[in-house]
């Protein structure tokens, strides 16, 4: 019998968006520990990274061109950047709609498109991990646009996984629920630290999912250890969608 494949990223060159903090930062760090060369991308400075506003239409092309200029190749991509702006059907406006869709859906699409074109030209395999959300299944009312953007990203994950299976380009996603991050704390800052702590204690595990746990899944998905899996979105949350309350 052959030896099992481990989640090793040695020799891989990866782009990770949203790398300044939270989920993106945890994934970038985990990828480096697994042996990869990583360029972090964020609108805020990342050591050795690329500063870019993913809300701008030309951002994906600029990011990919700069990465190629540094390395000559890119082998994988993690789309972890995202806006969690609140907006429902009763209070949304066009400006918020366009801003959320631009960062959460348009930018990942064109970053994936750039990587796919690059890998096909090289006739090389590659991997993409999209950080999605359990809100893709429906979402709470105040996250209507956010849920739509993540639902769209989940569909693009499946579409790209199917379309480029024969190119050996694997595309998978992680639907995240509540995760203990700085962003989450900032969103609920007005409720106090005690409120967020109580919410974590009320979860089945007695705590929130950790960013490092998401990062471990992302490393596995990027590595050959998860091959040939593609077009799959994993729900990383403490409840199963469709289960009775």
């Amino acid at each position: 019998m052959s030896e099992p494949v481990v989640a090793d990223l040695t020799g891989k060159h990866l782009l990770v968006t949203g790398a300044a903090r939270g989920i993106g930062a945890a994934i970038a760090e985990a990828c480096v520990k697994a042996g990869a060369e990583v360029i972090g991308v964020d609108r805020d400075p990342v050591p050795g990274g690329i500063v870019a506003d993913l809300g701008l239409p030309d951002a994906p092309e600029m990011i990919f061109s700069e990465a190629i200029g540094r390395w000559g190749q890119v082998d994988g991509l993690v789309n972890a950047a995202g806006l969690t702006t609140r907006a429902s059907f009763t209070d949304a406006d066009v400006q918020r709609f366009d801003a959320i869709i631009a960062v959460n859906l348009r930018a990942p699409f064109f970053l994936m498109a750039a990587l796919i074109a690059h890998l096909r030209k090289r006739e090389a395999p590659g991997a993409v991990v999209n950080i999605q959300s359990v809100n893709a299944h429906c979402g709470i009312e105040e996250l209507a646009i956010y849920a739509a953007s993540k639902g769209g990203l989940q569909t693009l994950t499946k579409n790209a996984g199917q379309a480029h299976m024969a190119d050996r380009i694997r595309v998978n996603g992680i639907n995240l629920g509540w995760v203990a991050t700085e962003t989450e704390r900032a969103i609920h800052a007005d409720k106090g630290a005690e409120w967020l702590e109580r919410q974590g204690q009320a979860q089945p595990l007695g705590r929130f999912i950790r960013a490092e746990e998401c990062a471990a899944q992302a490393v596995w998905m990027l590595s050959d250890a998860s091959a040939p899996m593609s077009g799959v979105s994993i729900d990383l949350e403490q409840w199963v969608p469709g289960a009775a309350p």
Side-chain angles (χ1 to χ4, degrees):
M1 292 179 63
S2 60
E3 291 296 320
V5 180
V6 297
D8 181 15
L9 299 178
T10 301
K12 303 294 185 183
H13 296 77
L14 309 175
L15 279 171
V16 179
T17 69
R21 62 182 63 81
I23 304 298
I27 291 173
E29 181 179 353
C31 287
V32 170
K33 288 181 179 178
E37 296 286 336
V38 175
I39 293 180
V41 179
D42 206 286
R43 60 185 177 186
D44 296 321
V46 179
I50 298 173
V51 176
D53 181 355
L54 291 174
L56 300 177
D58 59 351
E61 181 180 0
M62 181 275 287
I63 291 165
F64 207 84
S65 294
E66 185 164 339
I68 294 297
R70 294 189 194 184
W71 287 332
Q73 70 179 70
V74 178
D75 304 298
L77 164 69
V78 179
N79 284 307
L83 296 179
T84 56
T85 309
R86 266 50 181 167
S88 71
F89 278 94
T90 59
D91 61 14
D93 53 48
V94 172
Q95 184 177 7
R96 271 186 289 177
F97 185 97
D98 289 348
I100 295 168
I101 295 299
V103 174
N104 293 8
L105 191 59
R106 186 181 69 194
F109 178 94
F110 285 103
L111 282 168
M112 284 193 287
L115 177 65
I116 289 167
H118 168 71
L119 291 171
R120 293 186 71 192
K121 184 177 180 179
R122 287 172 50 205
E123 297 184 344
V128 176
V129 174
N130 291 320
I131 303 304
Q132 301 159 182
S133 170
V134 292
N135 285 280
H137 298 299
C138 177
I140 58 177
E141 62 183 62
E142 65 192 57
L143 288 174
I145 301 173
Y146 174 79
S149 71
K150 293 301 185 177
L153 187 56
Q154 179 174 256
T155 297
L156 290 181
T157 295
K158 294 178 181 293
N159 188 283
Q162 172 64 34
H164 299 286
M165 189 81 69
D167 294 318
R168 298 175 298 154
I169 301 171
R170 300 186 304 107
V171 185
N172 294 294
I174 301 173
N175 284 330
L176 278 178
W178 227 342
V179 181
T181 63
E182 300 96 321
T183 300
E184 198 67 56
R185 293 186 187 94
I187 290 172
H188 300 288
D190 60 323
K191 300 171 185 174
E194 298 80 7
W195 180 86
L196 199 59
E197 184 177 348
R198 288 196 302 272
Q199 294 301 311
Q201 292 171 348
Q203 302 301 307
L205 297 180
R207 62 172 178 82
F208 292 131
I209 298 294
R210 300 188 182 101
E212 293 76 17
E213 291 169 324
C214 174
Q217 297 300 318
V219 168
W220 175 70
M221 287 177 162
L222 289 165
S223 77
D224 293 338
S226 63
M229 185 179 80
S230 192
V232 173
S233 291
I234 293 176
D235 291 311
L236 189 57
E237 175 59 304
Q238 297 182 51
W239 54 272
V240 177

